[in-house]
Amino acid sequence: HQRKKRSYEIETAFYQNFSEQCNNNCRLPKLYAASMLGNELFMVLEDLDAAGFPVRRSSIAWNELYACIQWLANFHATFMDATPSNLWKIGCYWHLTTRQEEFNVMRNKPLKEAAHFIDKKLSESPFQTLVHGDAKLANFCFSENSSQVAAVDFQYVGKGCGMKDLVYLMDSSLSPQDCNRLETKILDTYFELLHAALTQRNKQIDFTLLEKNWRELYAY
């Protein structure tokens, strides 16, 4: 309960302190108002349906997946090396520390034994950004022609490696067979878009090293 309560406080903090940095390439609803009344937290957000993003998908074609990848690349570029004040110190819905119940019932013993090493490997990447944290297909709203997307649900936004978001998007929108078939194309597309977004934002970063590091971490 406390974790869920904290997640709404973090979502509010993100909208209040970070969301205005996002442009149309990583569109999200505008925050009109936020306040605490007693123990209740209220947020008034823009209606994305009325703003031109009325379509939801349970499965997607390549052009729709491309729009989501583009959103992630621009979001990650916007917040590269950002300080996650009032956000999760380690972002992602599936962060190991916050998922102990799931960890304790894991049946895959080799993966369970490796879990803390995997978590440490991701957290120690020298290239950190803000990750959406719950970048599943259900949290993307599409325009009528599916060329643009906006994202919602920032309860688990925080510091992390961008591969967390990309892999979660793939897993939530593609079959395992399509994940394998499109893996190279998805990674190449993501890094091409990330490079362009970082350049556009004048981020001073060694992109060659970033790409090498994150491609290695994709497997984790």
Side-chain angles (χ1 to χ4, degrees):
H1 171 74
Q2 289 302 320
R3 184 180 70 210
K4 178 63 74 172
K5 181 173 177 288
R6 177 69 180 137
S7 77
Y8 286 116
E9 292 169 352
I10 281 173
E11 182 169 37
T12 305
F14 172 78
Y15 275 112
Q16 289 176 322
N17 303 319
F18 293 90
S19 64
E20 288 187 355
Q21 297 179 50
C22 295
N23 60 23
N24 285 331
N25 291 323
C26 48
R27 185 73 155 81
L28 42 84
K30 296 185 178 89
L31 176 71
Y32 293 130
S35 65
M36 285 289 297
L37 296 176
N39 290 322
E40 294 184 293
L41 174 63
F42 290 85
M43 282 192 293
V44 182
L45 296 167
E46 178 185 18
D47 179 356
L48 286 176
D49 284 358
F53 301 91
V55 180
R56 310 293 180 267
R57 300 288 186 197
S58 56
S59 60
I60 53 176
W62 170 255
N63 65 312
E64 295 155 345
L65 180 59
Y66 180 93
C68 294
I69 296 170
Q70 187 173 44
W71 190 98
L72 287 177
N74 279 276
F75 186 82
H76 296 156
T78 299
F79 296 110
M80 190 65 67
D81 290 332
T83 302
S85 53
N86 298 320
L87 306 179
W88 294 110
K89 290 182 179 178
I90 300 178
C92 191
Y93 181 85
W94 290 108
H95 173 46
L96 183 61
T97 302
T98 64
R99 296 290 147 196
Q100 286 301 298
E101 290 180 24
E102 291 87 348
F103 173 75
N104 289 330
V105 298
M106 281 181 68
R107 295 179 180 179
N108 186 327
K109 189 177 179 184
L111 188 58
K112 187 174 183 178
E113 289 174 347
H116 286 90
F117 169 79
I118 292 170
D119 181 67
K120 185 171 183 284
K121 188 84 172 174
L122 288 166
S123 299
E124 289 182 349
S125 168
F127 301 100
Q128 299 282 327
T129 184
L130 292 187
V131 291
H132 177 285
D134 197 10
K136 59 190 177 187
L137 182 58
N139 285 333
F140 286 96
C141 306
F142 292 81
S143 62
E144 288 282 6
N145 64 5
S146 297
S147 65
Q148 293 180 301
V149 293
V152 297
D153 195 354
F154 291 87
Q155 289 173 248
Y156 290 93
V157 64
K159 190 175 179 180
C161 163
M163 292 295 96
K164 290 182 175 183
D165 279 341
L166 187 66
V167 170
Y168 198 16
L169 171 65
M170 291 171 64
D171 182 64
S172 68
S173 59
L174 300 172
S175 67
Q177 293 78 13
D178 283 341
C179 281
N180 288 329
R181 180 174 61 85
L182 294 170
E183 179 180 286
T184 299
K185 185 177 182 179
I186 289 170
L187 282 167
D188 289 349
T189 299
Y190 170 80
F191 283 111
E192 180 183 333
L193 292 168
L194 180 64
H195 187 229
L198 287 166
T199 302
Q200 184 182 40
R201 287 161 181 76
N202 249 340
K203 298 279 184 173
Q204 302 302 311
I205 193 163
D206 188 327
F207 185 77
T208 301
L209 288 179
L210 183 154
E211 181 175 359
K212 182 177 184 294
N213 178 250
W214 280 12
R215 279 185 181 270
E216 290 172 354
L217 292 177
Y218 167 81
Y220 290 91

